[in-house]
Amino acid sequence: MLKPDYPLTTERLLLRPFTPSDLDAVHAFESRPDVTRYLYWEARDLDAARTGLETKISRTAIADEGDALNLAVTLRDSGLLIGTVILIWTSKEHRQGEIGYIFNPDHHGHGYAPEASRELLRLGFEDLRLHRIVGRLDGRNTASARVLEKLGMRREAHLIHNEQVKGEWTDEVIYAMLESEWTP
């Protein structure tokens, strides 16, 4: 079981469970087509953002395969919510997990995504004792690829036209890191 002692603190960020009062901040970036361009879902109206937030609110601990932590990423100095990160336990038998992140573009270019994601790698490897953690992305999302590379993850696969997303065939790129490669 993984139930962190919240909030999780990094040099510049606090990672904490979502609350209903986060709706406006979440909607502010989930409603942007430039944010959802490479995601499986379209830009969200307020009702869809509320539904997504309800799911995020429920994801505060990992007890079994398929469970996830979905955490709000806030700036330590102001408390401003700037993004979300997720850690999913994808296989109990094979000790595997997956990380993901979505950040408000108004806060891109400051290294916040790698900083928050590094904390998820730490949780996955040190607390959940995962053997392998992956990050998957649309092959066109070069900014997301740079985040995973900054984390020290290795590009393992480039799957050509393996999924149809929003009516078009897309490539999927998979990055991974092993527990033995993790350095805090």
Side-chain angles (χ1 to χ4, degrees), residues 5 38-39 45 61-62 88 100-101 105 116 156 166 171 174 181:
D5 185 19
Y38 301 123
L39 301 176
D45 63 17
I62 295 178
I88 308 165
Y101 40 82
E156 288 192 338
K166 299 177 185 170
D171 294 1
I174 301 169
E181 298 168 322

Side-chain angles (χ1 to χ4, degrees), residues 69-97:
L69 290 179
N70 227 152
L71 303 176
V73 179
T74 64
L75 297 175
R76 281 179 68 175
D77 60 355
S78 68
L80 181 67
L81 193 154
I82 61 169
T84 178
V85 290
I86 188 168
L87 171 65
I88 308 165
W89 190 6
T90 57
S91 174
K92 187 174 191 175
E93 177 182 4
H94 302 292
R95 296 176 40 219
Q96 307 230 358

Side-chain angles (χ1 to χ4, degrees), residues 113-142:
E115 184 174 333
S117 298
R118 178 167 297 286
E119 182 64 11
L120 291 187
L121 289 175
R122 186 194 68 73
L123 288 172
F125 289 128
E126 296 178 12
D127 295 354
L128 198 53
R129 306 301 304 159
L130 296 176
H131 170 70
R132 182 173 186 271
I133 299 175
V134 302
R136 300 179 307 119
L137 55 102
D138 183 303
R140 300 168 294 181
N141 193 345
T142 56

